[in-house]
Amino acid sequence: MGIDSFCSLDGSDPFWDWNRTWNASSPDLTRCFQSTVLVWVPCFYLWLCAPFYFAYLKWHDLGYICMTHLNKAKTVLGFLLWIVCWADVFYSFWERGQGTARAPVFFISPTMLGITMLLATFLIQYERIKGVQSSGVMLNFWLIAFLCATVSFRSRILQTINEVRIKSSFTDPNLSSWLLWEFSLAILTTCSDPPPSTSTSLWASFLSKITFWWITKLLVQGFKRPLEEKDLWCLNSEDQSQKVVPQLVRCWNHECMYSPKRSAVERSRGEKDRPPMEESEILLVKSSQNTSEPSLFLALCRTFGPYFLVSSLYKIVHDILMFVGPEILRLLIRFVNDGSAPYWQGYFYTSLLFVCTCVQTLILQRYFHVCFVTGMRLRTAIVGAVYRKALVITNAARRTSTVGEIVNLMSVDAQRFMDLITYINMIWSAPLQVILALYFLWQNLGPSVLAGVAVMVLMVPVNAVIAMKTKTYQVRHQDPIDKRNENRTKHIWLKSHILNGIKVLKLYAWELAFRDKVSKIRESELRVLKKTAYLGAVSTFTWVCAPFLVALSTFAVYVMVDEKNVLDAQKAFVSLALFNILRFPLNMLPMVISSMASVSMKRLRVFLSHEELDEDNVNPSDSISIVDGSFSWSKTDNPTLKRINVLIPEGSLVAVVGHVGSGKSSLLSALLGEMHKQDGAVSIKGSVAYVPQQAWIQNATLRENIVFGRERKESWYQSVVEACALLPDLEILPAADATEIGEKGVNLSGGQKQRVSLARAVYCDTAVYLLDDPLSAVDAHVGKHIFDKVIGPQGLLQGRTRVLVTHGLSFLPQADLILVMVDGEITETGSYLELMGRQGAFADFLRTYANTEQTEEEPGELGSFLMKGACCLKPNIHFFPFISPLLSELSICCSAKSHLKMDTSEGDGKKARLYHSRIDILLSKEPLHNYRYTITKFIILRMIVYFLCLLKVKLSVFWEYMKAIGICLSCISIFLFLCHHVASLGSNFWLSRWTDDPVINGTQPYREMRLSIYGALGVAVFCYSISVSIGGILASRYLHETMLYNVLRSPMAFFERTPSGNLVNRFSKETDTIDSVIPSIFKMFMGSMFNVLGACAVILIATPLVVIIIPPLGLLYFFVQRFYVASSRQLKRLESVSRSPVYTHFNETLLGTSVIRAFGDQQRFIHESDGRVDLNQKAYYPSIVANRWLAVRLEFVGNCIVMFAALFAVISRDNLSPGIMGLSISYALQVTASLNWLVRMSSELETNIVAVERVKEYGDTEKEAEWTLEGSKPTTGWPTAGHIEICSFGLRYRDDLELAIRNINVIIEGGEKVGIVGRTGAGKSSLTLGLFRIIEASEGEIRVDGVNIANMGLHDLRSRITIIPQDPVLFSGTLRMNLDPFDGYTDEEVWRTLELAHLKNFVSGLPDKLNHECAEGGENLSLGQRQLVCLARALLRKTKILVLDEATAAVDLETDNLIQSTIRTQFEDCTVLTIAHRLNTIMDYTRVLVLDKGQMAEFDSPASLLAKKGLFYKMAKDSGLV
């Protein structure tokens, strides 16, 4: 039985009739076609999707939704449709029973439709049970069913009008109701049921999801007012760190487990003996026998591949739809050429073109959304994996990278993966697009297309060479791994060598020399950038010209090979549209291949493959012991500790003593499992608390630093604070223990940091305490208080096991056991009396230093805190004018507290507490969910408000950038842009005129002339690309040099209040943006703008009627763009503000990994890091959705332009040539992408130009005095005598604070040795800062050899005075570089200096001698050795005036004695000023200056001052000297 007889028994109703459809002026479909195809299509669609959709719902249960009115309405309508279908079937059977013959279609189609409606109703309920608010499958079904029914309804109307009688069915009279019910169901399906759980996009309907309408509410909020963090939605659970990171860690562990790199023994051990790995546990323990490496790429594919495959499906559909546009263009040109074709065909083509472009838009944006979400998850996973790895790598592995380089993995490399993931599909998509384009071109032009293929083949090696050379330059520019590579990235250099040691640079007047070193590195980078710019210009040339050259060669061969080949509009513009499609894949493929992901992948793989700490280094046991222990810092090093045998009794106090470098701190590290155990066994019983030698302080409140994540127990907390002598500090802190501590404890003194570190350990209440010299930075009475109240036999820790490394000999008699260490071995053990009785090395040691053990607290501890804290809390008022009211309150509070003493009266105390409460209120107004930023909470909160209030980037910033490029070069670049685009328009217009040439005798005349002019107009690209790129490099050089100079000219107060992360960000991220991003964005912005203007001009010339529609579409475009930008900029700034805490926390964690591991707090810190990453992604996710929201709407505007261009061309076909129409529509097809790209580039330009603004900010900050003054240069050899005269001198730290020191009148003769002493806050350090003009005098003057230092250039002054600072700052680099950075001395002089500094033996024993690499901050040297290096610097420099600022605060007694003896002999004829930490070191000085409350209290010889029994006598008595 044929299809015709299936529809009608007599065959009178054919399935298809061309005369009724395509060839009719009013087309209609046959009754048979309507009863079969239009009924079966929606049925087949639903039955095809149903099995897969049912399985999806079964495995993705989102929760139960209660029956709602919406769901009831959908169910009722579904049943009504089902009833109508079955009524139609019964009606057909009834008619048959009445003797009326009915064709089979009247039984089969309603039955099939009825069963389908029943299935649809079932799915409606099943979706509700599974928690689906809105279904795309069902929406598509109802839309298809509605459209099919609409066609049938129109047909019935036409038949009624034409009075055609046909056999009807039961549904025919009710067709209008049927249509209305299906339309209602389609509308209801677009609505969303109430969600079972609140989440970002999960509650949105299907239509809202595909158009991204669900984010409109957030964008409206951002348009009305600045967005805040509370306006953002929570992340979807599948995007959060707690779900994403463990997946990558598991896949990486799996990859490592089965990598050939892992030995069979390790593998079997990992599989059998080890417990299941936690995500924070070992990621990889590597063996070095084989060469094969685990693949990070495979681990990433296993983790994110399944979700990312969805994007590949979208991409395939999009790529196919791309070629629909040129084919419809072909049909439209054919329609214009065929005057007999009915108009409805033109309208049909126009509608089809509009629908296809809209579908293409929705699919493309879904593709990008999946890619960006994948990239977001990938970044989250990489950041989490790097963080977890950083907590477990060994110290040897840690030394292979600086902190900056490890942070670089998080910031730069993770970002590169995010950027690449969007275009990674081009690896297979580009060849597919090329193949499809060539296929359609062959159909259009035949074998002539081979000429274009030949050009493309020739361009491939050109693009490949450009890509490879660009990659080479990028690797050279970006790879920071090799520390000895002089071209390493500037941000690593700046962070390691300038920002961390800025105070040393200023005190030694090294800024200019270091600036020159940085400038050399910068110039090498700019040379690479310039080469990259030239390659970029060639790349741009090929980008623009490759499709044109392909088109030119193809057209030339086509018209020249045969005179009968006519280049008409259809062939020319369809081919041109296909060539335009070719442009993207031809150029994107080499760019993707040459991307930097391979370098980033390698860096990440190397880091994740680092050796990890062996958890078996320390075994839990019933005792604390080391048996036959031998330990080193890495597997390849010689043992640092050897033959260690020690048993520590439970509950005892064990003291560890020894000289500098004897291995005391290493012994504690061995007990913690921080060292590589070469031999022996280590056991420890119970939980451990650790106090490192250099206190590690978190950027959190003082209370949180002490509590350290434990449960708050108020009574215990108060006991700990009192025992650790912190109560006086709480009195002076602005908000007591709620005071926010800055980055690295910047607003605490050294003594305060050490006591907070000790309080943290005590509060944690553990079984074992490992204390690495916690009393070194506190004075005698505080040290005694802490020992008695905390560490000693009657302290809070009595009954706990305490291992105390100490230089304080007075505490040793109370120790239960003393370990004496020499050269990494324990030479003596026993109690104090036992060791004294042996009369061995320990007894000699005690006799030598019996009277020198007491120490005094770090200088001006509370006073210096106040000043540092005030600086930290005082941002530059020019940047943050809205903070000034807060600062006035804070200044009142600070100035009040700076005068509070222990004997404060009751009234003053109440006033101070009032100020405390006021600051507490300030600090507690807007909680940040415990995410700590790099400066105090109330400042960072208002910084966020400040950033959000900057809604527009000032035009002055663009003007500054143009000036940095050069006004002339900027104008030339714009002119060249204009010339290029005018030439491009001219070439295409010329092509349209060519295609309209009449055909005479089967050929076109003047084709050679047409071809030659077409070719000449097309090639004019190279110049503008070069000019923009070179202009960008000139701007980079100027802006970087200006910023570097301005930063180095800033006073120390600027660095104390500016977090180092901000400065590093300026020199790395912002500078990189100016280097690489802004020039390319500027080129793309200008190109997009001229493309849009050119396209609009062509469309207006071709179809002037479009002028009616372009203004409203332009207004809509402008409104959408501004509406988007208002919110987008705020989202980007929210994301930027929330990104810094991620890196700050990671940087902080890297500095404190040993403490975190000792306390067993890895999981808490991992959770904290994950929370900060999620907070950052919570701002990033809306920004990528907002991008898609914008793209959908802008592309809709572009699609409307395409539709109206085609529509008006159809209307005006009688007055329009095919060539002009083809030109108009081909430009219209491009305008969608150009519009979208224009908005994106304008937004990117506006966002990234902020980098110029931020770089220029530092030009407006306060500056130090001039470095050199030509008219006031000192004479050669000044100072000759070292005579210092201080007259009525006073200074203050800020203009709104009182004088820190005042009315100082002192005359120091040349060659005198003067000690400067005083209680906490007396002003000792302030006087030193005044001498070096780190802080300028507020009153009075200082004269050196009769010259007023205020009238000198800063470098002229600081280069003639030498200081040994309290904190021994070393730079990462060779030991020689640290002693003589600029090779001003010979090796013999350096070795002689090392001998005088008692370092010659140590350096001689190093494998590389003077070329020994110092780790960042000198971490691979002990604190005492670092201090001796600083002494060597002073000896090498040797000037007439030497200042020692607590230079021996943290060294042992022997090292102190060495330093003092060297100073006495080598600086015998120099003036020496010593801020005394140990009073015994200045007892033989000429005179002593005693300061009290910022004023001179006493000034005389030590003997005279002791005789007077004044302040100096009391201090000497406290120290046990009298």
Side-chain angles (χ1 to χ4, degrees), residues 1266-1314:
E1266 292 297 326
W1267 283 338
T1268 56
L1269 293 173
E1270 290 302 326
S1272 303
K1273 275 194 169 292
T1275 59
T1276 305
W1278 180 92
T1280 54
H1283 177 88
I1284 302 173
E1285 185 178 351
I1286 305 175
C1287 305
S1288 303
F1289 185 75
L1291 59 77
R1292 55 169 54 91
Y1293 281 82
R1294 284 205 322 265
D1295 292 339
D1296 55 344
L1297 291 178
E1298 294 187 8
L1299 291 170
I1301 55 174
R1302 66 183 73 80
N1303 198 27
I1304 305 294
N1305 289 280
V1306 175
I1307 296 176
I1308 301 171
E1309 300 296 336
E1312 272 198 294
K1313 308 297 183 286
V1314 176

Side-chain angles (χ1 to χ4, degrees), residues 552-745:
L552 178 64
S553 60
T554 304
F555 291 157
V557 170
Y558 181 73
V559 299
M560 299 302 291
V561 76
D562 188 350
E563 289 185 354
K564 301 299 182 182
N565 283 347
V566 175
L567 189 67
D568 57 17
Q570 181 175 320
K571 286 186 171 62
F573 288 103
V574 171
S575 300
L576 210 57
L578 291 169
F579 286 135
N580 283 329
I581 290 175
L582 264 181
R583 177 182 302 177
F584 190 73
L586 282 179
N587 292 278
M588 278 304 297
L589 185 59
M591 287 174 62
V592 172
I593 293 172
S594 66
S595 70
M596 282 303 302
S598 57
V599 176
S600 298
M601 184 89 71
K602 179 182 176 183
R603 285 201 287 252
L604 284 164
R605 180 184 56 75
V606 168
F607 180 77
L608 292 176
S609 302
H610 273 324
E611 182 185 9
E612 298 179 1
L613 290 170
D614 188 353
E615 291 187 343
D616 296 333
N617 277 345
V618 179
N619 300 312
S621 178
D622 294 334
S623 63
I624 303 171
S625 64
I626 302 177
V627 180
D628 296 329
S630 181
F631 305 91
S632 62
W633 288 108
S634 73
K635 289 182 177 178
T636 57
D637 290 351
N638 293 325
T640 304
L641 300 176
K642 45 191 178 292
R643 293 184 290 277
I644 302 295
N645 283 281
V646 62
L647 176 63
I648 298 174
E650 186 176 352
S652 62
L653 171 59
V654 179
V656 183
V657 297
H659 304 307
V660 168
S662 61
K664 303 183 295 297
S665 298
S666 299
L667 180 64
L668 298 190
S669 296
L671 286 170
L672 289 170
E674 296 285 318
M675 298 183 73
H676 172 64
K677 183 175 65 177
Q678 294 185 344
D679 197 9
V682 182
S683 304
I684 203 156
K685 180 181 181 181
S687 55
V688 177
Y690 174 54
V691 180
Q693 190 171 13
Q694 283 189 302
W696 175 67
I697 302 297
Q698 287 184 273
N699 178 211
T701 65
L702 187 74
R703 180 190 302 123
E704 288 165 343
N705 266 285
I706 295 173
V707 175
F708 203 55
R710 269 58 175 180
E711 183 184 352
R712 176 72 185 267
K713 300 174 183 176
E714 191 60 39
S715 59
W716 176 241
Y717 175 80
Q718 293 299 332
S719 301
V720 170
V721 169
E722 181 181 0
C724 294
L726 282 169
L727 287 179
D729 302 293
L730 297 184
E731 284 295 318
I732 202 169
L733 291 172
D737 62 355
T739 302
E740 191 87 11
I741 308 304
E743 191 178 359
K744 298 180 183 176

Side-chain angles (χ1 to χ4, degrees), residues 24 121 160 248 390 493 510 551 589 631 635 648 781 804 1137 1271 1294 1327 1411 1417 1449 1469:
T121 308
T160 303
L248 178 60
W493 173 272
W510 283 351
L589 185 59
F631 305 91
K635 289 182 177 178
I648 298 174
H781 70 275
L804 172 68
V1137 167
R1294 284 205 322 265
L1327 185 60
N1411 292 322
D1469 58 341

Side-chain angles (χ1 to χ4, degrees), residues 137 184 671 1345 1444:
V137 173
S184 300
L671 286 170
D1345 280 5
L1444 282 80

Side-chain angles (χ1 to χ4, degrees), residues 908-928:
D908 288 339
K910 288 180 179 177
K911 187 175 181 180
R913 284 191 292 275
L914 172 63
Y915 289 132
H916 280 166
S917 64
R918 293 171 74 181
I919 295 298
D920 279 332
I921 292 169
L922 288 173
L923 288 170
S924 62
K925 277 184 178 177
E926 299 178 65
L928 280 175

Side-chain angles (χ1 to χ4, degrees), residues 1143-1215:
Y1143 304 142
T1144 301
H1145 177 70
F1146 184 47
N1147 188 52
E1148 185 178 84
T1149 301
L1150 287 173
L1151 297 174
T1153 48
S1154 58
V1155 177
I1156 295 168
R1157 288 194 291 256
F1159 282 87
D1161 268 3
Q1162 294 96 319
Q1163 281 301 324
R1164 182 169 67 85
F1165 275 80
I1166 286 171
H1167 181 72
E1168 171 77 3
S1169 175
D1170 288 350
R1172 293 185 183 222
V1173 172
D1174 288 345
L1175 184 68
N1176 177 235
Q1177 301 290 41
K1178 192 168 78 168
Y1180 175 72
Y1181 181 70
S1183 71
I1184 62 176
V1185 177
N1187 277 332
R1188 307 278 66 77
W1189 179 94
L1190 173 73
V1192 168
R1193 279 137 192 86
L1194 290 187
E1195 290 195 16
F1196 177 76
V1197 172
N1199 296 339
C1200 288
I1201 292 175
V1202 173
M1203 179 184 70
F1204 284 112
L1207 180 64
F1208 290 129
V1210 170
I1211 293 172
S1212 310
R1213 73 168 176 174
D1214 295 333
N1215 305 317

Side-chain angles (χ1 to χ4, degrees), residues 388-637:
R388 285 155 172 77
K389 181 71 179 184
L391 287 173
V392 294
I393 60 173
T394 63
N395 285 279
R398 171 70 180 77
R399 288 203 301 269
T400 61
S401 305
T402 65
V403 172
E405 288 165 357
I406 299 174
V407 173
N408 191 53
L409 297 173
M410 271 191 173
S411 56
V412 177
D413 293 325
Q415 187 65 42
R416 290 197 188 286
F417 275 106
M418 280 186 69
D419 297 339
L420 177 69
I421 205 76
T422 312
Y423 300 106
I424 195 71
N425 276 316
M426 289 304 296
I427 290 175
W428 61 264
S429 175
L432 174 65
Q433 292 179 32
V434 170
I435 291 169
L436 289 173
L438 291 177
Y439 169 77
F440 286 109
L441 281 168
W442 184 281
Q443 296 294 318
N444 204 34
L445 297 174
S448 302
V449 77
L450 294 175
V453 173
V455 173
M456 280 192 294
V457 171
L458 290 175
M459 296 298 286
V460 167
V462 175
N463 283 334
V465 169
I466 293 171
M468 294 308 295
K469 291 294 289 182
T470 303
K471 180 177 180 179
T472 302
Y473 291 138
Q474 286 175 332
V475 171
R476 190 181 303 173
H477 174 58
Q478 292 166 352
D479 189 5
I481 297 300
D482 186 0
K483 296 182 187 177
R484 290 165 293 282
N485 179 7
E486 187 157 61
N487 292 328
R488 61 184 163 179
T489 49
K490 57 193 171 293
H491 64 281
I492 301 297
W493 173 272
L494 285 166
K495 184 173 183 182
S496 301
H497 293 74
I498 293 182
L499 300 179
N500 285 345
I502 188 67
K503 189 171 184 180
V504 170
L505 294 187
K506 288 191 174 295
L507 290 171
Y508 282 82
W510 283 351
E511 297 105 322
L512 278 174
F514 264 75
R515 187 188 71 172
D516 292 341
K517 282 209 166 195
V518 173
S519 296
K520 285 181 183 177
I521 296 169
R522 179 67 180 158
E523 283 303 316
S524 69
E525 288 177 345
L526 290 177
R527 282 195 295 272
V528 172
L529 282 172
K530 191 175 291 185
K531 293 175 182 176
T532 308
Y534 292 140
L535 287 172
V538 177
S539 179
T540 303
F541 180 80
T542 57
W543 168 272
V544 177
C545 287
F548 173 78
L549 293 175
V550 170
L552 178 64
S553 60
T554 304
F555 291 157
V557 170
Y558 181 73
V559 299
M560 299 302 291
V561 76
D562 188 350
E563 289 185 354
K564 301 299 182 182
N565 283 347
V566 175
L567 189 67
D568 57 17
Q570 181 175 320
K571 286 186 171 62
F573 288 103
V574 171
S575 300
L576 210 57
L578 291 169
F579 286 135
N580 283 329
I581 290 175
L582 264 181
R583 177 182 302 177
F584 190 73
L586 282 179
N587 292 278
M588 278 304 297
L589 185 59
M591 287 174 62
V592 172
I593 293 172
S594 66
S595 70
M596 282 303 302
S598 57
V599 176
S600 298
M601 184 89 71
K602 179 182 176 183
R603 285 201 287 252
L604 284 164
R605 180 184 56 75
V606 168
F607 180 77
L608 292 176
S609 302
H610 273 324
E611 182 185 9
E612 298 179 1
L613 290 170
D614 188 353
E615 291 187 343
D616 296 333
N617 277 345
V618 179
N619 300 312
S621 178
D622 294 334
S623 63
I624 303 171
S625 64
I626 302 177
V627 180
D628 296 329
S630 181
F631 305 91
S632 62
W633 288 108
S634 73
K635 289 182 177 178
T636 57
D637 290 351

